[in-house]
Amino acid sequence: MKITENKDLKFGRVVLVGRPNTGKSTLLNAIMNQKVAITSPLPQTTRKNTRVIYSSDKGKIIFSDTPGIFNKVEDYVSKKVNLQAPKEILRADVVVCLVDISRPKGDEENKVIGMVRKSRAKKVLVYNKIDLAVGTHDYLPQYNFLEDEFDATVSISALKNKHVKQVINEIFNLLPVKPENEIIKDIEVLSMTNRPLIGISSDEYISELVREKAYLFLRKELPYSVNVEVTEIKEKKNIIVIKAKILTTNERYKKMIIGKDGRRIKEIGFNARKELELMSGKKIFLDLWVETDKHWPERVMV
Ligand SMILES: Nc1nc2c(ncn2[C@@H]2O[C@H](COP(=O)(O)OP(=O)(O)OP(=O)(O)O)[C@@H](O)[C@H]2O)c(=O)[nH]1
Ligand SMILES: [Mg+2]
C-alpha cells in the first residue's frame, strides 16, 4: 500500500478500552462498517488485541480492540486476557474509553480509569448504549465526573450506529498532524497481513466466529473454558469444507456444549455456517465436534 505524502493527513494508533461488555468490539465494527470483531453479551468475548486499519480522507488509524478489563481475576485465561489492554494503551496516541451508561459504575471502571490515567495519550470518553438508557434510566451521574480527565466526551449507541462518526471526528481532531515513519511502516505491514484475518480463508476469523456462536448458546461460566480451532479449510468448486473443533476444559462442559441429542452443537454450527455463507457468497459445509482438552489455555493464551 502506498501512503500518500499529503501533509494534512493524520496517522496514529487508537486503542479501545473498557470493562467487559461495554461495547468496544461493537464500536469497532461500526467504525469499520463491517464485522471485524466478534461480540456477545458474555464477558471476555474479545481475548486478544485485534488491530485493523481505518482509512478515510483524513488519514489512517490503526484501531486496536482490546479485551475488557476485569477487576479480580483468578483463572489462567482471565489473567492472560487482563494483560492485553495495558500493552496497547502504552503505544496509543489516543485512548478511547468506553463506559456502559445502562449499568452502574463498578470497581472495574476504577481499574480501567487508573490505567488510562497513566497514559500520556489524548483521551476520549465514550458513553455507550444511549439507546438503552436515556434520561431517568441511565447512570450518567456516576460517570460524569470523569469528563474532566478526558479531552473529549461523546454519547453514542454503537449497536444502532448513532454518533459513531462523532467519535471518529474527535479522534482525528486529537491525533498529531505529523505522520511518524514507524506508524506508516506498521500500517503497511498490517495492511498486508490483516486482510485474511477478516476473510473466509482465515482460520482465525472462522474460529472466532464459531466461538461467538457458541457464546450465544452457552451460560456465563462457560466462556472461560471454551476455545475453537479450525483444523481444515478446503475450497472446492461450489462449496467450502471447514472442519473445526470446540475445545473445553471439562467433560461436564463438553456435554453442555453438545446438548441433548446434539441440539446445541447443531445450533452453533447452523448459525456459524449461515454467517460464513453470507460473507463468502458460497455454500459452506461446517463440521464441528467437541473435545475435552484441559491444556488449551496454556497453548493458546501465552
Ligand atoms: N443496546 C445496546 N447494546 C449494545 C451496544 N453496544 C454493544 N451492545 C451489546 O453489548 C454486548 C457486548 O458488546 P461487545 O461489543 O461484545 O462488548 P465488548 O466491550 O467488546 O466486550 P468484551 O470483548 O467482553 O470486553 C453485546 O451483546 C452487544 O450487542 C449499544 O450501543 N446498545
Ligand atoms: Mg470485545
Side-chain angles (χ1 to χ4, degrees):
M1 180 181 53
K2 191 119 184 75
I3 308 278
T4 67
E5 294 280 309
N6 184 341
K7 63 176 172 8
D8 296 328
L9 289 178
K10 288 184 164 185
F11 300 90
R13 291 192 179 85
V14 176
V15 63
L16 306 176
V17 295
R19 79 167 171 193
N21 221 37
T22 49
K24 300 173 291 298
S25 303
T26 308
L27 174 58
L28 185 67
N29 292 340
I31 289 171
M32 297 300 291
N33 236 331
Q34 61 176 313
K35 184 159 162 179
V36 290
I38 60 164
T39 66
S40 94
L42 298 184
Q44 220 181 75
T45 305
T46 306
R47 272 197 185 137
K48 289 187 173 172
N49 298 330
T50 305
R51 292 184 190 155
V52 292
I53 301 165
Y54 173 85
S55 301
S56 84
D57 52 1
K58 291 186 178 172
K60 288 185 194 293
I61 293 170
I62 299 179
F63 269 103
S64 190
D65 178 24
T66 64
I69 293 160
F70 285 77
N71 188 25
K72 286 193 193 112
V73 285
E74 267 136 42
D75 64 295
Y76 178 87
V77 176
S78 303
K79 277 183 193 159
K80 292 288 178 186
V81 164
N82 241 18
L83 296 173
Q84 294 277 310
K87 282 195 269 184
E88 292 296 270
I89 294 175
L90 277 179
R91 307 188 73 207
D93 298 298
V94 177
V95 177
V96 177
C97 181
L98 269 82
V99 293
D100 174 354
I101 59 160
S102 71
R103 282 174 58 184
K105 191 172 140 297
D107 286 344
E108 282 161 335
E109 258 85 29
N110 297 335
K111 189 158 181 170
V112 176
I113 299 302
M115 284 178 188
V116 173
R117 210 169 266 154
K118 284 186 204 145
S119 159
R120 288 215 223 118
K122 298 285 182 188
K123 291 156 197 170
V124 180
L125 178 64
V126 170
Y127 295 138
N128 191 26
K129 308 198 185 180
I130 57 165
D131 59 296
L132 274 187
V134 269
T136 50
H137 299 298
D138 66 52
Y139 289 88
L140 262 180
Q142 295 188 13
Y143 296 106
N144 280 150
F145 76 100
L146 295 172
E147 289 175 21
D148 291 346
E149 299 196 41
F150 285 80
D151 299 286
T153 304
V154 189
S155 298
I156 68 160
S157 166
L159 190 67
K160 309 270 177 200
N161 208 335
K162 272 229 157 89
H163 310 310
V164 169
K165 284 237 162 69
Q166 232 170 291
V167 178
I168 302 169
N169 289 342
E170 289 296 353
I171 291 169
F172 273 119
N173 286 342
L174 294 168
L175 274 180
V177 179
K178 257 189 140 187
E180 284 174 32
N181 284 338
E182 183 212 346
I183 284 180
I184 293 176
K185 227 201 267 155
D186 279 4
I187 289 176
E188 278 175 344
V189 171
L190 201 58
S191 68
M192 280 190 288
T193 56
N194 91 329
R195 210 167 294 133
L197 185 83
I198 55 171
I200 188 76
S201 57
S202 159
D203 287 19
E204 204 176 329
Y205 191 79
I206 295 169
S207 311
E208 286 286 89
L209 202 74
V210 174
R211 190 162 63 86
E212 179 189 70
K213 300 311 171 205
Y215 279 23
L216 267 179
F217 301 98
L218 297 176
R219 284 204 229 119
K220 224 175 178 162
E221 67 269 25
L222 277 176
Y224 311 101
S225 73
V226 170
N227 198 44
V228 178
E229 277 178 18
V230 170
T231 53
E232 196 180 312
I233 308 175
K234 263 196 198 146
E235 275 216 62
K236 298 187 178 169
K237 211 172 165 199
N238 297 317
I239 195 163
I240 305 174
V241 177
I242 299 169
K243 292 187 182 170
K245 53 186 174 186
I246 300 179
L247 302 174
T248 186
T249 47
N250 186 308
E251 272 301 306
R252 187 166 63 90
Y253 292 152
K254 180 176 163 178
K255 282 199 188 110
M256 286 165 80
I257 295 165
I258 294 170
K260 197 164 180 283
D261 301 326
R263 263 184 238 150
R264 192 167 280 149
I265 184 88
K266 270 187 206 139
E267 261 176 321
I268 295 168
F270 174 81
N271 282 274
R273 179 171 64 79
K274 282 284 162 211
E275 194 162 324
L276 288 167
E277 283 181 343
L278 216 65
M279 272 181 62
S280 64
K282 279 196 165 184
K283 234 182 139 33
I284 304 276
F285 177 78
L286 178 61
D287 185 9
L288 283 185
W289 77 100
V290 189
E291 250 175 55
T292 304
D293 177 356
K294 274 198 182 102
H295 299 291
W296 77 255
E298 294 109 75
R299 268 202 331 273
V300 177
M301 303 303 300
V302 282

